[in-house]
Amino acid sequence: MAAAFWLLFFLAFFSAGFHLIFSFTDPHDAAALQSLKDAWQNTPPSWGSGDPCGTPWEGVTCKDSRVTALGLSTMSLKGKLSGDIGGLTELISLDLSFNPELTGSLTPRLGDLQNLNILILAGCGFTGNIPDVLGNLAELSFLALNSNNLTGNIPPSLGKLSNVYWLDLAENQLTGTIPISTPTSPGLDLLLKAKHFHFNKNQLSGPIPSQLFSSDMVLIHVLFDGNQLNGTIPDSIGEVQTLEVLRLDRNALTGKVPTNLNNLTSVVELNLARNQLTGPLPNLTGMTSLNYVDLSNNSFVTQEAPEWFSTLPSLTTLVIEHGSLQGPLPSKIFSYQQIEQVLLKNNAFSGQLDMGESLGPQLQLVDLQNNNISSVTLTAQYTSTLILVGNPVCSALSNTNYCQLQQPTSKAYSTSVTKCGNPQCPYGQKLSPQRCECAYPYEGTLYFRAPSFKDSSDVNRFQELEMSLWVKLGLTPGSVFIQDPFFNVDDYLQVQLALFPPTGKYFNRTEIIRIGFDLSNQTYKPPKDFGPYLFIASPYPFPDGDKGTSLNSSAVAGIVTGCSLLVLGLFGVGIYAIRQKKRAEKALGLSRPFASWAPSGKDSGGAPQLKGARWFSYDELKKCTNNFSESNEIGSGGYGKVYRGMLSEGQVVAIKRAQQGSMQGGLEFKTEIELLSRVHHKNLVGLVGFALNKENRCWCTNLWPMEHSGKACQGYLDPEYYMTQQLTEKSDVYSFGVVMLELVTAKQPIEKGKYIVREVRMAMDKNDEEHYGLKEIMDPAIRNSTNLVGFGRIVDLAMQCVEESAAERPTMSEVVKEVETILQNDGMNTNSTSASSSATDFGASRGAPRHPYNDVPKKDVNDLHAFDYSGGYSLPAKVEPK
């Protein structure tokens, strides 16, 4: 039972001016982040110190002390993704995109992130297989593993991701077939909420399974281009009527195109080029949303132009090159209002080419090279490029423009900076089109995987793209620079992009992380004509890595350096002398720091005798609380305020700072920290260290273990209540006595108020050796104990502390010594030599010391005998400033 009384005493002691709340960053999350920091190079500078949630660390988002999002896009991270990531169990979003030097395999511990909703590892250097355990992430809705070096098969377990809508595995080295479900295994056909299947540019093989598609699916983008898929196109694809983009080009598909393909009336891009498809051209009648069609380089049967050539009013681009079309070319195709390019070279069109009376206003290029056209009828309004090289018509008219290979009449679009003149920017900087100043832009490449057009010179279209970028990315109008868009060998529209900071020369890291996430998470949506896209960022030259520009003149540099060294040398002599003087004064003060706080007639100048605690400099505690900022304030009391802080090694602590005018003197302060260093309990904070100078007194403790607060002592010893009371009594001793009596009695503290002293005084009977006359008002948990060791002496001490006259009350140091005497006389071992290795349990049960955060078993939450104490004052400890 003595253990319970010591617990009561310690709680009462803290309630006299210690308002404490819980840890700001969960210790397990803090440890996981620290391990990731140790495994990676080039983490943001804010990761060097402070609390991950409180400072906060750049890229870290927290809620209720738990890390919920980690975003480090484009940070130039270097290293491996270790299993420590699995310790962030409350993580909802993980974005490590565009860090190409993040390498190695994907850790299976990603499967521990059961709350994960967004996983973006695009544009890194990861290798190895996709872990099967990713299929266990039931909450996952966005999975982007594209643009790495991943190998192996697509795991069938991904079919368990029932909430996923974005699945991007593109641009890896994945092999094998596309998995579908069996009676014993899941498959991708189960992803009924998926809208995006992006598997392009891998090495996938085998046929496209018919079971993969069904009318229950809501797919809008199916990108299977650039693989090694074979077999026929399954009829089931015609059942997915939500489809908008279908790219099956650059595979080895054979057989006829399904006749139900024209059920896909929402499709805007259809690309079946570069396969081995046979039979007639697919019937696209009724697909009135089509903008872009490419059926080139297949083995379709020889036929005349199909009827749908004249029934697709939304068409912008028609590409059937190296085909087997013959006969006349319908003029209707040139009259569509949106038609831009008609590319039909290497077919067998013959007869007269009649462009018609009404040409589409957007028509830019008609390429009919190597056909059998014998004559041409052009209207006067046609001024765009026509290429008929290789046709019979050019045999006699070889000097006409259309019988010569021609360069495009318009150049690819680039953002204009002509208003800025022609200033020269330093290396690495570029000219901002908005400010006409040199700055370091955020650069990268946009790959539009299925644009609905083929013209890269359309000014209005690309200016619309610019505007959408600065608006949707939250940038300054005019801060976007686009350069030389073109269609690459994969038939993607490739655009070089530069985004400029609104002011100054640099973006900060938070801005880069935000922009990178918006582009990798597809938060940014381009104009509809541009379709699905991929962004790959270039490394960003943050200013902390910028070494600046050196002088070009070695002579000037030498003179400046020599003069600087001379001045610094003279200045250094003076500084050295001043610092030596201050060091001597500081050393003298540190030898007796408590002397300036000693009451008259008492000497408190000796170093306190602590167990495992440290002596900090005041400046160190000031720094780790950000100059005791209000944002780090977590409580207050009659003695002073309590702040959250993080030590340089990452430990999160509570720091109590005495307010100006505090009644506590140096001796009391010394006695208090000596006591705190010796007391250890699973439900009590432990002393980490203290700081003291002429004007300030502070000490820091561990933060309260969240999982045990308010529960460990059955309510009548509710630590949360007693730790958060803001007592207004001027005497810490009187407050100690009042709260001690409240803890002993059965009534809830909120009901007793100022009458507790009177009630106990009236009920006391010292002739009752066991219960001291307080049996009727004692808390049942104490009254029913079989071991009431020292009960009466503790009550006597509490009553002395609440004497009406302050002169008759003991000092706090006398209280501490009296309690220690009670414990020693009642058989407690108070001679432990180490706070960490020689802890002793009070009362009937004894055992090895337990870690207060990790090692408290559930069955011990009501155990009042697990109280550890590390000795009296007879064994001094060496205490030095840190």
Side-chain angles (χ1 to χ4, degrees):
M1 195 60 217
F5 292 136
W6 187 247
L7 178 58
L8 300 181
F9 164 75
F10 198 74
L11 289 172
F13 184 85
F14 270 89
S15 71
F18 209 148
H19 183 186
L20 185 65
I21 59 178
F22 305 131
S23 169
F24 198 70
T25 301
D26 178 81
H28 300 293
D29 287 1
L33 288 173
Q34 184 63 43
S35 297
L36 291 173
K37 175 182 177 296
D38 293 341
W40 292 339
Q41 298 179 34
N42 303 328
T43 52
S46 61
W47 284 44
S49 62
D51 182 280
C53 294
T55 305
W57 286 7
E58 287 163 311
V60 176
T61 303
C62 300
K63 181 180 180 182
D64 298 331
S65 303
R66 298 305 305 273
V67 176
T68 57
L70 180 60
L72 294 173
S73 177
T74 328
M75 291 291 105
S76 298
L77 297 178
K78 184 177 182 180
K80 300 182 184 301
L81 181 60
S82 69
D84 298 292
I85 192 69
L88 301 175
T89 54
E90 293 298 315
L91 207 59
I92 296 174
S93 174
L94 175 60
D95 178 15
L96 300 177
S97 58
F98 317 140
N99 289 290
E101 293 190 274
L102 273 183
T103 59
S105 59
L106 298 179
T107 172
R109 289 209 60 196
L110 286 168
D112 295 343
L113 306 178
Q114 292 298 303
N115 295 303
L116 201 62
N117 182 262
I118 297 172
L119 177 57
I120 307 174
L121 304 177
C124 297
F126 293 115
T127 56
N129 296 341
I130 299 173
D132 289 338
V133 293
L134 293 188
N136 298 332
L137 303 179
E139 300 298 319
L140 200 64
S141 65
F142 193 100
L143 177 59
L145 304 179
N146 53 287
S147 307
N148 283 280
N149 297 303
L150 298 172
T151 55
N153 298 338
I154 298 175
S157 61
L158 297 187
K160 295 189 293 182
L161 300 177
S162 58
N163 290 309
V164 77
Y165 77 89
W166 184 280
L167 180 58
D168 195 338
L169 309 178
E171 302 192 24
N172 282 287
Q173 300 171 29
L174 300 176
T175 56
T177 59
I178 299 173
I180 55 174
S181 62
T182 68
T184 58
S185 174
L188 302 189
D189 55 301
L190 302 179
L191 301 181
L192 300 184
K193 293 184 180 179
K195 293 186 176 182
H196 302 266
F197 276 177
H198 297 179
F199 305 160
N200 45 303
K201 297 188 68 174
N202 278 287
Q203 300 170 23
L204 299 175
S205 58
I208 301 173
S210 178
Q211 185 182 332
L212 181 63
F213 302 108
S214 71
S215 60
D216 295 327
M217 305 188 87
V218 293
L219 288 165
I220 60 174
H221 294 164
V222 172
L223 308 181
F224 289 176
D225 52 290
N227 282 283
Q228 299 169 15
L229 299 170
N230 54 38
T232 60
I233 300 173
D235 292 343
S236 59
I237 201 168
E239 300 177 16
V240 189
Q241 296 192 25
T242 53
L243 267 181
E244 296 178 5
V245 173
L246 178 60
R247 288 201 60 169
L248 303 179
D249 50 300
R250 293 179 294 118
N251 280 285
L253 299 172
T254 58
K256 297 180 179 181
V257 178
T259 57
N260 67 345
L261 191 68
N262 60 352
N263 289 343
L264 304 179
T265 55
S266 297
V267 167
V268 296
E269 167 153 351
L270 175 65
N271 196 330
L272 306 180
R274 300 176 187 275
N275 282 287
Q276 300 169 27
L277 298 171
T278 58
L281 285 176
N283 181 12
L284 307 185
T285 303
M287 299 180 70
T288 55
S289 297
L290 270 175
N291 296 144
Y292 188 105
V293 176
D294 191 346
L295 304 176
S296 303
N297 297 87
N298 279 286
S299 301
F300 295 119
V301 297
T302 301
Q303 65 181 89
E304 292 190 354
E307 291 185 5
W308 55 262
F309 267 38
S310 303
T311 62
L312 300 179
S314 298
L315 204 62
T316 64
T317 306
L318 176 63
V319 187
I320 308 179
E321 299 181 333
H322 296 276
S324 52
L325 292 171
Q326 63 180 11
L329 180 60
S331 61
K332 178 69 173 179
I333 197 172
F334 304 114
S335 66
Y336 294 141
Q337 291 299 298
Q338 299 183 61
I339 195 71
E340 295 176 357
Q341 295 191 8
V342 178
L343 308 178
L344 299 173
K345 68 181 180 181
N346 295 99
N347 279 278
F349 287 110
S350 59
Q352 182 182 26
L353 174 62
D354 184 359
M355 302 285 290
E357 294 295 329
S358 177
L359 296 179
Q362 307 298 324
L363 187 60
Q364 296 291 323
L365 174 64
V366 177
D367 188 351
L368 292 170
Q369 293 181 66
N370 302 321
N371 280 272
N372 292 318
I373 296 172
S374 57
S375 63
V376 178
T377 301
L378 298 177
T379 63
Q381 65 185 34
Y382 183 73
T383 59
S384 299
T385 301
L386 171 65
I387 305 177
L388 294 177
V389 174
N391 284 272
V393 68
C394 291
S395 298
L397 302 172
S398 59
N399 293 328
T400 58
N401 287 337
Y402 52 76
C403 289
Q404 300 176 12
L405 291 177
Q406 303 168 51
Q407 296 297 323
T409 57
S410 55
K411 294 182 178 180
Y413 176 84
S414 288
T415 305
S416 175
V417 290
T418 54
K419 69 175 184 178
C420 301
N422 190 30
Q424 297 298 312
C425 291
Y427 177 77
Q429 298 184 40
K430 290 189 176 181
L431 191 63
S432 168
Q434 179 247 340
R435 294 186 289 136
C436 292
E437 296 177 1
C438 296
Y440 292 93
Y442 181 37
E443 296 184 279
T445 305
L446 279 167
Y447 297 90
F448 294 101
R449 293 161 160 171
S452 63
F453 59 90
K454 196 81 171 181
D455 180 11
S456 61
S457 63
D458 190 322
V459 173
N460 292 333
R461 181 175 281 141
F462 284 99
Q463 286 182 346
E464 183 183 4
L465 176 63
E466 289 176 351
M467 182 179 297
S468 73
L469 283 162
W470 83 57
V471 170
K472 296 180 181 180
L473 294 178
L475 303 174
T476 304
S479 59
V480 175
F481 184 85
I482 289 174
Q483 185 174 12
D484 297 331
F486 69 96
F487 284 83
N488 62 21
V489 294
D490 301 314
D491 215 18
Y492 300 163
L493 176 62
Q494 185 170 323
V495 180
Q496 293 302 118
L497 179 65
L499 308 174
F500 287 84
T503 60
K505 293 190 178 298
Y506 295 93
F507 284 109
N508 62 41
R509 290 180 182 268
T510 301
E511 292 169 326
I512 291 295
I513 290 170
R514 177 187 61 80
I515 297 172
F517 179 78
D518 285 349
L519 290 168
S520 64
N521 186 48
Q522 303 288 312
T523 303
Y524 164 72
K525 301 296 183 185
K528 190 173 179 63
D529 287 354
F530 287 85
Y533 72 92
L534 161 70
F535 178 72
I536 297 296
S538 302
Y540 190 75
F542 292 105
D544 51 300
D546 184 10
K547 296 181 180 180
T549 304
S550 60
L551 289 174
N552 294 325
S553 172
S554 58
V556 173
I559 294 172
V560 172
T561 301
C563 293
S564 299
L565 290 175
L566 178 60
V567 172
L568 288 174
L570 295 173
F571 185 69
V573 172
I575 292 297
Y576 177 77
I578 294 172
R579 290 185 63 185
Q580 288 297 99
K581 179 181 179 181
K582 288 185 175 181
R583 284 180 178 176
E585 292 173 348
K586 183 176 180 181
L588 182 60
L590 289 174
S591 67
R592 294 176 61 81
F594 291 86
S596 60
W597 293 99
S600 177
K602 296 185 179 180
D603 181 9
S604 60
Q609 301 172 7
L610 307 182
K611 297 293 180 180
R614 290 156 49 187
W615 183 349
F616 295 93
S617 69
Y618 175 73
D619 287 341
E620 184 174 0
L621 295 189
K622 183 177 177 181
K623 180 179 179 181
C624 74
T625 59
N626 194 18
N627 198 20
F628 294 103
S629 68
E630 291 184 3
S631 61
N632 284 329
E633 184 179 332
I634 58 175
S636 61
Y639 172 71
K641 293 183 178 181
V642 183
Y643 299 85
R644 176 184 60 255
M646 176 173 279
L647 303 181
S648 57
E649 62 271 23
Q651 182 179 3
V652 182
V653 293
I655 298 174
K656 182 178 176 183
R657 181 190 186 196
Q659 65 184 11
Q660 293 294 326
S662 169
M663 298 294 292
Q664 188 183 48
L667 182 58
E668 286 78 8
F669 177 70
K670 172 184 173 183
T671 301
E672 186 168 356
I673 62 174
E674 286 177 326
L675 170 66
L676 297 184
S677 75
R678 289 167 170 76
V679 180
H680 311 281
H681 187 269
K682 65 189 178 185
N683 295 314
L684 299 176
V685 295
L687 182 71
V688 176
F690 75 96
L692 176 69
N693 62 23
K694 290 183 179 181
E695 292 81 23
N696 298 281
R697 286 164 289 168
C698 306
W699 69 85
C700 62
T701 69
N702 296 310
L703 279 175
W704 193 273
M706 181 178 294
E707 60 267 35
H708 307 314
S709 72
K711 304 296 181 184
C713 302
Q714 296 179 310
Y716 81 103
L717 292 181
D718 187 345
E720 183 175 0
Y721 173 81
Y722 293 105
M723 286 296 187
T724 57
Q725 294 307 295
Q726 300 183 34
L727 303 183
T728 59
E729 300 289 344
K730 293 183 178 179
S731 170
D732 286 349
V733 173
Y734 187 91
S735 300
F736 156 71
V738 170
V739 180
M740 276 287 286
L741 296 178
E742 290 179 346
L743 292 168
V744 169
T745 57
K747 297 180 181 179
Q748 290 299 314
I750 195 65
E751 301 171 346
K752 290 179 284 192
K754 63 182 179 179
Y755 301 109
I756 182 64
V757 177
R758 184 181 66 185
E759 290 184 27
V760 174
R761 183 173 286 128
M762 291 174 61
M764 278 181 60
D765 181 2
K766 295 186 179 182
N767 293 324
D768 180 0
E769 295 184 358
E770 184 175 10
H771 299 105
Y772 231 52
L774 303 178
K775 184 174 182 179
E776 296 303 320
I777 65 172
M778 287 176 63
D779 188 284
I782 299 177
R783 181 176 63 239
N784 296 335
S785 174
T786 59
N787 184 13
L788 292 175
V789 179
F791 177 77
R793 299 183 67 184
I794 290 291
V795 174
D796 277 339
L797 178 60
M799 295 306 293
Q800 292 176 35
C801 293
V802 296
E803 288 289 347
E804 293 295 331
S805 173
E808 295 181 8
R809 300 175 200 153
T811 65
M812 185 56 73
S813 60
E814 290 171 338
V815 172
V816 173
K817 291 179 180 179
E818 179 63 18
V819 172
E820 186 178 43
T821 300
I822 294 172
L823 294 175
Q824 290 174 334
N825 291 344
D826 286 336
M828 306 306 155
N829 177 10
T830 61
N831 294 316
S832 301
T833 60
S834 170
S836 60
S837 61
S838 303
T840 304
D841 286 344
F842 284 79
S845 64
R846 299 175 184 271
R850 293 187 289 268
H851 191 283
Y853 286 83
N854 303 323
D855 302 329
V856 180
K858 295 293 183 183
K859 65 182 180 180
D860 287 342
V861 295
N862 296 320
D863 178 16
L864 298 181
H865 303 288
F867 199 92
D868 299 336
Y869 182 74
S870 296
Y873 302 103
S874 59
L875 297 173
K878 184 178 181 181
V879 183
E880 298 178 354
K882 180 174 178 60

